[in-house]
Amino acid sequence: MLAVAERVRSRALGEVEIVWHAPVDPASCDGNCALHEIACGEPGISAPGGNRELPADLAESGQRWCTACRDAVRQTA
């Protein structure tokens, strides 16, 4: 599944978690976007990197899917 990263500071001092979201219009991304609209309906991710292909069952330490984005993509697949 295509995804765009959001860096989120965790409650633990100095730790950053990566939350992956499904972009609404992935074909419009050239890697230099100022904002990505995302499937969960949150305001979007400003200053994102490019889209990346990730497994739905992501198991990387310090990274997770936005549950709402993952579920939205699964419903349309």
Side-chain angles (χ1 to χ4, degrees):
M1 294 177 7
L2 279 177
V4 62
E6 174 186 21
R7 291 175 53 94
V8 177
R9 291 220 178 267
S10 69
R11 293 180 187 214
L13 185 63
E15 291 186 19
V16 174
E17 179 180 44
I18 304 297
V19 179
W20 293 96
H21 295 273
V24 173
D25 187 11
S28 68
C29 178
D30 63 2
N32 294 311
C33 304
L35 178 76
H36 269 285
E37 297 296 325
I38 52 180
C40 64
E42 292 293 323
I45 299 173
S46 59
N51 293 325
R52 183 171 153 193
E53 192 69 38
L54 293 175
D57 58 349
L58 180 65
E60 298 287 330
S61 177
Q63 299 182 41
R64 67 178 174 83
W65 270 101
C66 163
T67 305
C69 281
R70 186 185 61 210
D71 292 347
V73 171
R74 284 181 173 171
Q75 289 176 2
T76 60

